[in-house]
């Protein structure tokens, strides 16, 4: 066996699995399965299947997911840099499918880094509604923000917060909440041997405490009749069936929705907790367990919790103090009042300063050791703007008018010299540690608007007045991704509405946006950011 499993873990699994134990242990002799998930924000599944550079085999529980052969390197293809697919472990694609997301909903991914499930949620929303994606680790939110940006997500807010503070800001707000809970990671031992080595220190007991808190706080953020999907990548019943039983006993307004077993998912095992729990909560068999010896994927547990509904309507009076809402909207539930304009969104320009986006809690408290006096939006990039925020906005408006063919329906937020389009009114984020308040559009530099890379990769070619198309089969595309200047004759430029060829140009790979260049006199100056570049030989 290639993986050295902890002795205590093996003994416990032998006791729990009985006759299935040998088949379970034999799975550790097999290579983990590799998968990719098509990013339908940029390309339909059928179109990707026609042009895929890899052999694809469908993943049963995810219509956009595919197995790829062992040894394939999907990160070493231009399509990866164009955000056409996400490299993801197959079992990890299952929880989002069970959220049953509809367009225009507000969705929270509470424990989101590095962002695979957030990009899956965003693809289901198709640019509508709101995605709030959060992780408690500041370091991990860097990868989370980058993945949200790489995959062309326009309607996401990225937070670095504890659940309690999000709950204070968004009571009963979200239609759907995903809790991919921190866990002991037993289901990933085959894929990541370090998790097996760390198992005893990253104990089940410590994880249970975190999971209990997260579940209870999440319930307070869910809207009337909403849905929570709770998932772990562990086999421990204390973190799975026991956690859900405890939640149901404390929240009688929730039902457990049975998970279909057609994809090969196994049932939950309440008897592994106790005979008393099994007798009191037979519905726990409707949770799902993904076993590496039964499905082509790693170990997972999933529970679908549905709020039964009821009159949970919050006053919107606090939201009208700034004059954002008309009096006729004041008695709508909170989320409807926030978003109402007949189309679910409202255009607004908000000028924010460092002080205005501080981490200070609305209640004046510093929760769990968080420094409440530091600025919280994208602080690793923000610089003090020498120009007034209104001048910054003017350069942005001019760029949009002259360079883009895109409808911007969200809230325009200026923070220092950076401009965002946010799905939320900016004051809704006051008091929170915000990594990205929305779609990062670009930066004002001495009166010139510099468009961002996240703006480019989320655009369609038809939304930019200049574009150039590179072929994925030509070395030119890789040269661009490495940051090289390209020779591009004007005849290759796609110009719209009589645009002149000189200026910012959207660079596409096989018709899919990948970044910016600046064209002048037959040369395309490369604007691909250093930290995103192709680094392999």
């Amino acid at each position: 066996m290639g993986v050295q499993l902890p002795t205590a873990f093996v003994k416990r699994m032998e006791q729990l699995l009985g006759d299935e134990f040998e088949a379970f242990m034999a799975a550790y002799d097999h290579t983990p399965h590799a998968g990719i998930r098509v990013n339908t924000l940029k390309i339909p599944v059928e179109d990707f299947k026609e042009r895929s550079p890899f052999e694809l085999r469908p993943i049963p529980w995810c219509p956009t997911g595919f197995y790829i052969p062992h040894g394939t390197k999907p990160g070493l293809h231009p399509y990866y840099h164009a955000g056409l697919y996400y490299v993801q472990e197959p079992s990890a694609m299952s929880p989002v499918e069970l959220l049953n997301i509809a367009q225009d909903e507000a969705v929270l991914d509470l424990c989101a880094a590095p962002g695979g499930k957030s990009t899956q949620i965003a693809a289901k929303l198709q640019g509508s509604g709101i995605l709030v994606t959060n992780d408690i680790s500041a370091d991990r939110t860097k990868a989370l923000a980058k993945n949200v940006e790489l995959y062309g997500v326009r309607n996401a807010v990225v937070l670095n917060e504890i659940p309690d503070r999000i709950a204070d800001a968004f009571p009963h707000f979200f239609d759907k909440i995903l809790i991919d809970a921190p866990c002991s990671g037993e289901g990933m031992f085959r894929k990541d041997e370090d998790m097996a080595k760390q198992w005893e220190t990253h104990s089940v007991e410590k994880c249970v405490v975190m999971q209990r808190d997260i579940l209870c706080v999440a319930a307070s953020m869910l809207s009337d009749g909403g849905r929570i999907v709770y998932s772990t990548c562990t086999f421990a019943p204390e973190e799975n069936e026991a956690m859900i039983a405890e939640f149901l006993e404390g929240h009688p307004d929730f039902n457990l929705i049975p998970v279909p077993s057609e994809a090969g998912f196994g049932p939950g095992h309440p008897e592994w907790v106790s005979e008393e729990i099994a007798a009191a909560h037979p519905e726990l068999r409707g949770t799902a367990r993904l076993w590496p010896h039964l499905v082509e994927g790693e170990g997972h547990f999933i529970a679908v919790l549905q709020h039964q509904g009821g009159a949970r309507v919050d006053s919107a009076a606090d939201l009208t103090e700034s004059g954002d809402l008309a009096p006729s909207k004041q008695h709508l539930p909170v989320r409807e009042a926030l978003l109402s304009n007949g189309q679910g969104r409202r255009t607004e320009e908000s000028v924010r300063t460092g002080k205005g986006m501080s981490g200070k809690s609305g209640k004046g408290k510093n929760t769990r050791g968080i420094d409440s006096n530091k600025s919280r939006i994208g602080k690793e990039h923000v610089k003090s703007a020498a120009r007034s925020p209104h001048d910054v906005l003017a350069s942005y408006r001019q760029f949009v008018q002259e360079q883009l063919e895109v409808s911007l329906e969200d809230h325009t937020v200026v923070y220092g010299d950076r401009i965002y389009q946010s799905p939320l009114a900016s004051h809704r984020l006051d008091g929170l540690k915000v990594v990205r308040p929305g779609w990062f559009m670009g930066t004002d530099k001495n009166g010139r608007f510099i468009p961002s890379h996240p703006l480019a990769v989320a655009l369609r070619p038809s939304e930019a007045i200049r574009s150039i198309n590179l072929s994925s089969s030509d070395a030119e595309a890789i040269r661009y991704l490495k940051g090289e200047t390209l020779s591009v004759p004007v005849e290759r430029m796609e110009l719209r509405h009589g645009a002149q060829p000189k200026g910012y140009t959207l660079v596409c790979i096989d018709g899919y946006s990948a970044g910016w260049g600046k064209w002048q006199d037959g040369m395309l100056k490369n604007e691909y950011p250093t930290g995103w570049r192709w680094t392999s030989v």
Side-chain angles (χ1 to χ4, degrees):
M1 179 178 296
V3 182
Q4 295 299 312
L5 299 173
T7 302
F9 167 75
V10 173
K11 288 183 177 179
R12 190 237 290 156
M13 297 310 298
E14 183 175 15
Q15 179 181 7
L16 292 177
L17 287 172
D19 293 342
E20 285 190 67
F21 177 70
E22 288 188 10
F24 171 76
M25 292 298 289
Y28 287 91
D29 292 327
H30 300 154
T31 303
H33 297 276
I36 61 172
R37 181 176 41 76
V38 178
N39 179 16
T40 54
L41 285 175
K42 301 198 77 168
I43 183 172
V45 171
E46 291 305 316
D47 289 357
F48 182 80
K49 287 165 67 175
E50 290 179 3
R51 64 171 66 240
S52 172
F54 320 116
E55 179 185 336
L56 302 177
R57 187 165 54 86
I59 294 173
W61 49 84
C62 179
T64 58
F66 296 89
Y67 295 105
I68 55 176
H70 177 67
T72 302
K73 297 181 178 180
L76 300 182
H77 192 279
Y79 286 171
Y80 173 81
H81 292 265
L84 298 195
Y85 54 81
Y86 190 91
V87 182
Q88 191 171 21
E89 193 280 311
S91 291
M93 301 178 193
S94 55
V96 171
E97 296 301 322
L98 294 168
L99 272 174
N100 195 29
I101 294 168
Q103 293 189 20
D104 294 317
E105 290 188 321
V107 185
L108 171 65
D109 189 354
L110 194 53
C111 312
K117 295 180 178 66
S118 288
T119 61
Q120 190 175 0
I121 291 169
K124 290 186 175 295
L125 288 172
Q126 284 293 303
S128 69
I130 297 171
L131 168 60
V132 175
T133 179
N134 174 75
D135 202 90
I136 196 170
S137 166
D139 284 340
R140 284 169 58 83
T141 58
K142 295 175 183 177
L144 172 59
K146 184 174 180 178
N147 280 323
V148 165
E149 291 171 345
L150 173 61
Y151 292 93
V153 180
R154 303 187 185 191
N155 59 330
V157 173
V158 182
L159 302 180
N160 170 216
E161 269 297 358
I162 59 172
D164 308 66
R165 289 172 65 110
I166 304 174
D168 286 344
F170 295 102
H172 310 312
F173 181 85
F174 297 100
D175 299 293
K176 306 288 167 61
I177 298 177
L178 177 66
I179 304 173
D180 190 32
C183 67
S184 55
E186 297 169 356
M188 293 293 119
F189 286 175
R190 180 173 67 172
K191 185 174 180 286
D192 186 352
E193 291 189 46
D194 285 341
M195 298 195 80
K197 296 174 183 177
Q198 298 168 10
W199 180 69
E200 291 184 356
T201 55
H202 193 59
S203 69
V204 170
E205 291 75 20
K206 291 179 182 178
C207 293
V208 163
V209 173
M210 291 187 288
Q211 292 157 357
R212 178 181 296 116
D213 289 347
I214 289 170
L215 259 172
C216 289
V217 173
S220 71
M221 290 186 267
L222 193 69
S223 66
D224 179 43
R227 174 175 291 197
I228 295 173
V229 168
Y230 172 88
S231 69
T232 72
C233 56
T234 193
F235 302 120
E238 298 92 332
E239 301 177 64
N240 296 332
E241 290 90 350
M243 189 57 55
I244 300 304
E246 181 180 324
F247 177 84
L248 291 172
E249 289 175 355
H251 297 82
D253 52 343
F254 279 82
N255 289 331
L256 192 66
I257 303 298
V259 177
S261 58
E262 290 84 356
F265 298 174
H269 287 274
E271 72 279 7
W272 289 354
V273 181
S274 69
E275 291 302 326
E276 291 77 14
I277 289 293
H281 294 284
E283 72 273 20
L284 287 171
R285 290 189 61 80
T287 59
R289 283 180 170 268
L290 281 66
W291 296 99
H293 63 291
L294 297 179
V295 301
E296 294 182 83
E298 304 311 300
H300 264 65
F301 172 86
I302 310 172
V304 180
L305 298 161
Q306 186 80 33
H307 187 260
Q308 295 178 20
R312 295 204 310 189
V313 177
D314 296 87
S315 169
D318 62 319
L319 306 180
T320 66
E321 294 175 358
S322 64
D324 285 343
L325 302 176
S328 62
K329 307 293 185 184
Q330 290 184 11
H331 299 293
L332 291 173
V334 171
R335 186 166 62 82
E336 284 73 8
L338 282 171
L339 301 179
S340 179
N341 72 339
Q343 298 296 323
R345 288 191 181 174
R346 184 168 52 85
T347 301
E348 174 190 272
E349 290 183 347
S350 304
V351 178
R352 308 301 297 170
T353 64
K355 181 179 179 181
M357 275 304 199
S358 74
K360 185 175 289 186
S361 165
K363 297 182 180 179
K365 63 184 180 181
N366 183 13
T367 308
R368 297 189 183 179
I370 288 178
D371 183 350
S372 63
N373 296 314
K374 292 184 179 179
S375 176
R376 295 304 187 186
I377 279 197
K379 61 182 180 180
E380 70 275 21
H381 299 298
V382 171
K383 299 177 182 178
S384 296
R387 288 157 36 80
S388 75
H390 291 288
D391 287 340
V392 171
L393 267 178
S395 72
Y396 170 56
R397 291 192 197 103
Q398 183 178 359
F399 181 89
V400 172
Q401 181 178 357
E402 296 178 355
Q403 306 285 333
L404 302 181
E405 294 279 330
V406 61
S407 175
L408 300 176
E409 298 178 346
D410 290 334
H411 306 267
T412 302
V413 178
V414 177
Y415 184 80
D417 58 2
R418 292 162 68 90
I419 300 105
Y420 301 84
Q421 290 294 138
S422 177
L424 287 169
S426 57
H427 69 274
R428 294 299 300 166
L429 300 174
D430 286 348
L432 296 175
K433 291 189 292 181
V434 183
V435 179
R436 297 287 187 275
W439 185 14
F440 175 38
M441 308 303 282
T443 306
D444 177 86
K445 185 176 182 181
N446 300 321
R448 292 185 300 111
F449 178 76
I450 310 300
S452 73
H453 187 66
L455 170 57
V457 294
L459 289 174
R460 291 178 287 275
S462 61
E463 293 177 319
I465 65 167
R466 298 180 200 88
S467 63
I468 173 85
N469 193 47
L470 308 179
S471 172
S472 63
S473 60
D474 193 295
E476 190 179 46
I478 295 176
R479 287 175 54 210
Y480 170 74
L481 295 171
K482 287 183 175 181
E484 298 179 18
T485 297
L486 303 180
S487 175
V488 177
V490 69
E491 292 78 18
R492 291 182 58 189
M493 300 278 290
E494 180 72 29
L495 303 173
R496 294 173 180 81
H497 304 295
Q500 296 300 307
K502 180 181 177 180
Y504 279 102
T505 301
L506 185 66
V507 181
C508 304
I509 297 175
D510 291 348
Y512 301 98
S513 58
W516 292 113
K518 287 183 76 175
W519 190 94
Q520 183 175 357
D521 298 331
M523 302 301 294
L524 188 72
K525 180 184 175 183
N526 202 305
E527 297 288 323
Y528 202 79
T530 303
W532 295 60
R533 290 178 184 172
W534 184 295
T535 56
S536 62
V537 295

